[in-house]
Amino acid sequence: DVQLVESGGGSVRAGGSLRLSCTASGYIRSRRCMGWFRQAPGKEREGAAVIYTDSGSTNYADSVKGRFTISQDNAMNTVYLQMNSLKPEDAAMYYCAASYCSGVYCCQVKGDFSFWGQGTQVTVS
């Protein structure tokens, strides 16, 4: 099994920054990618950023591109999400997720992610 624990959420003014962290434990081998998702009240959970474990390649949602940066420290089994220039519409519960999928189109949809953290709240005023 895999356990994911997020931290770093909080309240920030518009234009401010936050850095989220997610530490994984349990079965680490063969992990394909890690992702950050977010869910605002009354809305569906949406992907924000993905990082591939082996290559370090990243993908971002258009809404966060240029403002958010996902990175990883494989030795520490930790993934980060640096969020700059935060907007009120970025306010949401942020979830870390891990995928062990395979194939060319792996890690591109929410259903590819099997393990989820408990979430960390981000508030932007």
Side-chain angles (χ1 to χ4, degrees):
D1 204 1
V2 175
Q3 296 80 44
L4 303 173
V5 178
E6 303 101 333
S7 61
S11 183
V12 65
R13 290 184 181 273
S17 299
L18 282 174
R19 189 194 196 202
L20 307 183
S21 299
C22 172
T23 300
S25 61
Y27 181 70
I28 306 297
R29 293 174 60 186
S30 302
R31 187 177 67 226
R32 185 67 182 273
C33 65
M34 297 282 288
W36 283 99
F37 292 77
R38 63 186 186 180
Q39 187 169 18
K43 295 188 177 181
E44 289 192 11
R45 191 172 299 188
E46 62 177 9
V50 169
I51 187 164
Y52 289 82
T53 301
D54 290 342
S55 67
S57 297
T58 58
N59 289 321
Y60 296 92
D62 288 342
S63 58
V64 307
K65 203 171 292 184
R67 300 186 298 119
F68 290 12
T69 302
I70 188 171
S71 60
Q72 63 186 357
D73 182 339
N74 287 340
M76 299 296 292
N77 291 314
T78 300
V79 175
Y80 305 96
L81 186 68
Q82 178 67 43
M83 305 186 295
N84 298 328
S85 301
L86 282 161
K87 305 175 181 179
E89 52 263 43
D90 293 319
M93 185 72 80
Y94 281 72
Y95 297 91
C96 172
S99 175
Y100 291 77
C101 61
S102 60
V104 177
Y105 300 104
C106 189
C107 299
Q108 295 190 18
V109 295
K110 189 168 52 180
D112 287 339
F113 293 81
S114 305
F115 300 96
W116 295 81
Q118 81 289 351
T120 185
Q121 183 69 45
V122 171
T123 303
V124 185
S125 59

